[in-house]
Amino acid sequence: MKQVGLIVSGTCGLAIATGWTATGWQTTLATTGQPAGLDAHESHASASLLGQFRTTFSGWLWLRTDLYLHNGVEMRRLTEQEVAGDHRGSSSIDNHDHALHDDSLITTVIPSAEQDFRGIFGDIERATSAYKDMTQHTHNDPVSALPLFRLMTWVDPSFLPGWTTGAAIIARDRSDRSLEKALGLLREGLAKNPRSIALDGEIGYLLAARRRDFRQAVHHLDRARIQSLERAALSDDEFEALPQIYRWLSLSYRERGMLAEMYAVLREGVERFPEDAVLQRLLESPPTPLLDSAGVDPPARR
Amino acid sequence: MKLAVWGALARGVVLESIRRKDLWVVAILGFVIMLSAGALGFFGAQGLQVFVKDLAVTVLGLFSTIVAILTTCRLMPEEVKNRTLYPLLSRPIDRFDLLFGKLIGAVLVSWIAFLALAALTSIALLNFGVRFDLLMAQYVLGKMMGLVVVCAVSFTLSLFMTPSAAATLSVILAFGSTMIVRGLVMGYEQASPAIQPLFKFLNAILPQYGLFDLGGRTANIDWGPVPAWVLGALLAYMVTYSGAMLAIGWAKFRKQAI
């Protein structure tokens, strides 16, 4: 009886001591900043149950879109062992959905008969499921998935890939009407996500590359660049979009004859992305007929 | 003679299900389907036909499986708990007939629920301009065969454990077995030769519910009907696996002290 009392008091004492010192562990357990793998969109939604539902639903729709582009054939990423074992992904001949995944790194969830140990079970599954050999496969027209992108952005306006990929699909049609529609969608997204680097970058790219409105392009691209410098942390998607933003911003400055700004942007870009060969090349030998007339020294001589 | 016994027992299960207003759950779920369809219609379903069909087969599969499991898992434990098993066994029927008749009843209730939900879903799909084809009929047939296996597994589990435990395990198997099988398929090549027979064994004993689901083909475009041999193979698998489950359940129940 005495031993039981000792065990109970010892356990309670340990629990109290643990609780007392818990604040000291905070820095160890709760890391500052955003956890890896979570982007702004997810942290946005975590504030409320509705937000969580919206995030989950838009993420689910995103995956379904990929599925519909493959006409229901479920695909998965190759495992590290498969990549190391020289397993070839189901590369495509058009890769319409490059925004969703890299076709060389995916394969069908249901394996081919040669790679399936299940015998007749495998044969039946290949017959009853949406399965076909996806080597050098094609995709359904991504335009058919546009309503889903619209639905994604209705449900969760903070889901940035919904806006950017949807606009990219609309802009694939080279007509002016499609360009205006894509820009309209992106601007709607920007109104709902005014601090989005990806949306500003995408608008800037379309304005520069398609409409050749370099003044407006510089406005959006430079705002994206400044936002990226001000932010403490960037999501993976935003970080990957930045070199492109620097490239198009420098080209837009070049087209407007603002070579000093162009070199400044290129130097900053190379400093932030030293591995980016395009930025490096643009800085070292800017392909511009304006160079001589502007009277600006190339960077190597500065 | 046996047919009359099984028919009477199955009829009792269906009537009991109606008396307990179980099928009201189906009506409520159907109402949810129609409401969701209405909400999608509000947003505009132009170009969303594939998505709507995909959503419909997903919801149908989910709801009908849950109804099947919940209906089946409580059948025998309730007979024991309410002491209604004694008058049943005092009649000239053996224990196998009792189990088989009850299982048929559970299957019928599941089919009624599934077909009612399918009818409501069809109305919603028609509203979105979705056209029906032979593949959809095969989907319904495949799903009905799959529900037989779901009922057989749940029924047998309910003879070995409490209704709650049986229902939980049945749900895990119903929604997890496909995932487990896919994991086995992915891991097989990387597994050592000594472990590979274990993979084959697990694959053989797990219920292959995924084989009965033609939803992926049905929802997407330009997939043709499934060959007749496949439906025959599914029928053979359904009979074999459900028979095995019933045999295991009977082996337990025939010696069970009541």
Side-chain angles (χ1 to χ4, degrees):
Chain A
M1 192 66 192
K2 197 177 173 182
Q3 282 175 330
V4 173
L6 271 173
I7 291 169
V8 170
S9 5
T11 314
C12 289
L14 188 64
I16 291 166
T18 306
W20 195 266
T21 57
T23 49
W25 301 350
Q26 196 172 21
T27 49
T28 312
L29 296 176
T31 52
T32 53
Q34 200 174 349
L38 284 179
D39 59 19
H41 148 72
E42 286 162 322
S43 60
H44 246 274
S46 61
S48 70
L49 187 62
L50 179 64
Q52 286 184 24
F53 168 75
R54 282 156 44 153
T55 303
T56 308
F57 189 66
S58 56
W60 179 75
L61 279 176
W62 179 255
L63 292 175
R64 297 318 275 183
T65 305
D66 190 31
L67 184 66
Y68 302 149
L69 288 179
H70 288 120
N71 203 21
V73 181
E74 287 187 70
M75 309 293 285
R76 65 170 174 83
R77 278 187 77 87
L78 293 174
T79 62
E80 286 175 10
Q81 288 97 331
E82 284 169 334
V83 173
D86 205 23
H87 190 298
R88 288 176 176 214
S90 305
S91 55
S92 68
I93 55 174
D94 51 5
N95 209 169
H96 282 158
D97 50 352
H98 63 280
L100 297 171
H101 59 246
D102 179 357
D103 276 328
S104 63
L105 288 176
I106 59 169
T107 187
T108 52
V109 168
I110 300 170
S112 62
E114 299 81 49
Q115 293 169 320
D116 195 344
F117 72 89
R118 293 176 299 161
I120 191 166
F121 283 166
D123 292 338
I124 295 172
E125 188 174 25
R126 277 183 287 280
T128 57
S129 306
Y131 170 83
K132 61 182 173 187
D133 181 8
M134 295 293 272
T135 313
Q136 293 295 303
H137 64 278
T138 56
H139 298 99
N140 283 344
D141 187 351
V143 174
S144 64
L146 272 178
L148 283 172
F149 287 104
R150 195 65 257 198
L151 194 60
M152 271 178 231
T153 51
W154 262 326
V155 173
D156 184 4
S158 65
F159 187 55
L160 299 178
W163 298 106
T164 52
T165 312
I169 289 170
I170 296 172
R172 280 178 62 235
D173 176 14
R174 308 293 293 179
S175 69
D176 288 347
R177 195 166 155 265
S178 296
L179 175 63
E180 291 312 314
K181 270 178 83 174
L183 284 170
L185 183 69
L186 288 168
R187 286 192 175 117
E188 190 185 330
L190 192 62
K192 286 167 180 161
N193 302 276
R195 287 177 53 77
S196 166
I197 293 169
L199 288 171
D200 259 329
E202 197 69 22
I203 293 173
Y205 158 71
L206 285 180
L207 288 171
R210 295 283 297 278
R211 201 199 260 172
R212 302 187 67 76
D213 181 351
F214 299 108
R215 181 177 295 275
Q216 280 296 312
V218 163
H219 168 72
H220 286 283
L221 292 165
D222 201 43
R223 197 165 66 175
R225 181 189 68 84
I226 292 167
Q227 297 240 31
S228 75
L229 293 170
E230 288 172 353
R231 295 261 187 90
L234 296 173
S235 71
D236 287 348
D237 287 343
E238 286 171 329
F239 197 74
E240 280 173 21
L242 268 177
Q244 183 83 346
I245 288 170
Y246 273 99
R247 287 174 214 154
W248 281 104
L249 183 57
S250 70
L251 291 171
S252 298
Y253 276 134
R254 185 196 73 182
E255 293 301 318
R256 292 184 64 196
M258 301 164 73
L259 296 192
E261 285 84 352
M262 179 190 84
Y263 283 128
V265 162
L266 284 173
R267 274 193 294 275
E268 186 182 297
V270 167
E271 197 176 307
R272 292 181 77 180
F273 303 98
E275 306 289 317
D276 193 292
V278 178
L279 282 175
Q280 194 74 48
R281 199 171 62 238
L282 283 170
L283 179 64
E284 284 167 3
S285 53
T288 168
L290 296 172
L291 183 66
D292 298 334
S293 59
V296 178
D297 292 336
R301 283 184 268 146
R302 298 179 99 185
Chain B
M1 178 59 194
K2 291 276 186 190
L3 277 178
V5 171
W6 297 337
L9 284 163
R11 190 166 166 270
V13 173
V14 176
L15 289 176
E16 174 69 5
S17 185
I18 293 169
R19 192 187 65 77
R20 287 176 59 109
K21 300 186 173 56
D22 283 351
L23 293 175
W24 276 104
V25 176
V26 178
I28 292 166
L29 294 178
F31 179 70
V32 171
I33 291 173
M34 300 303 279
L35 206 66
S36 314
L40 263 180
F42 174 75
F43 282 115
Q46 189 66 33
L48 283 174
Q49 274 83 358
V50 172
F51 175 64
V52 170
K53 273 201 285 182
D54 185 27
L55 206 59
V57 294
T58 306
V59 169
L60 258 181
L62 185 74
F63 287 170
S64 59
T65 305
I66 289 173
V67 169
I69 289 171
L70 295 183
T71 307
T72 312
C73 280
R74 64 155 194 258
L75 278 180
M76 290 307 290
E78 280 198 355
E79 292 285 0
V80 176
K81 187 181 155 199
N82 298 334
R83 297 172 186 276
T84 46
L85 192 63
Y86 306 112
L88 271 176
L89 287 178
S90 65
R91 295 174 184 222
I93 55 171
D94 63 32
R95 292 192 179 193
F96 177 80
D97 293 333
L98 178 70
L99 291 185
F100 192 55
K102 289 279 183 189
L103 179 59
I104 292 174
V107 169
L108 287 178
V109 170
S110 307
W111 282 359
I112 291 168
F114 171 69
L115 291 173
L117 284 172
L120 287 169
T121 311
S122 304
I123 295 169
L125 288 178
L126 276 175
N127 198 32
F128 287 118
V130 172
R131 285 185 306 171
F132 293 88
D133 50 21
L134 178 61
L135 187 56
M136 286 196 178
Q138 288 187 330
Y139 162 77
V140 171
L141 194 62
K143 203 75 205 165
M144 286 171 77
M145 287 195 275
L147 284 173
V148 175
V149 183
V150 171
C151 288
V153 172
S154 307
F155 191 68
T156 302
L157 289 175
S158 74
L159 295 169
F160 284 87
M161 51 191 85
T162 62
S164 314
T168 307
L169 193 53
S170 301
V171 167
I172 290 171
L173 281 174
F175 298 109
S177 67
T178 306
M179 210 186 309
I180 298 169
V181 167
R182 285 182 178 172
L184 293 174
V185 172
M186 270 179 72
Y188 186 80
E189 273 186 37
Q190 271 80 45
S192 67
I195 299 290
Q196 283 179 343
L198 177 68
F199 280 49
K200 285 187 173 174
F201 173 73
L202 285 173
N203 180 61
I205 62 164
L206 276 171
Q208 306 276 340
Y209 296 130
L211 303 183
F212 296 94
D213 190 0
L214 280 71
R217 290 175 80 91
T218 311
N220 288 280
I221 41 178
D222 294 337
W223 291 99
V226 168
W229 75 263
V230 175
L231 292 177
L234 286 176
L235 183 68
Y237 179 75
M238 177 200 83
V239 172
T240 311
Y241 201 90
S242 304
M245 284 290 117
L246 190 64
I248 293 169
W250 180 57
K252 166 84 167 56
F253 188 64
R254 64 197 277 259
K255 291 180 180 171
Q256 190 172 322
I258 295 168

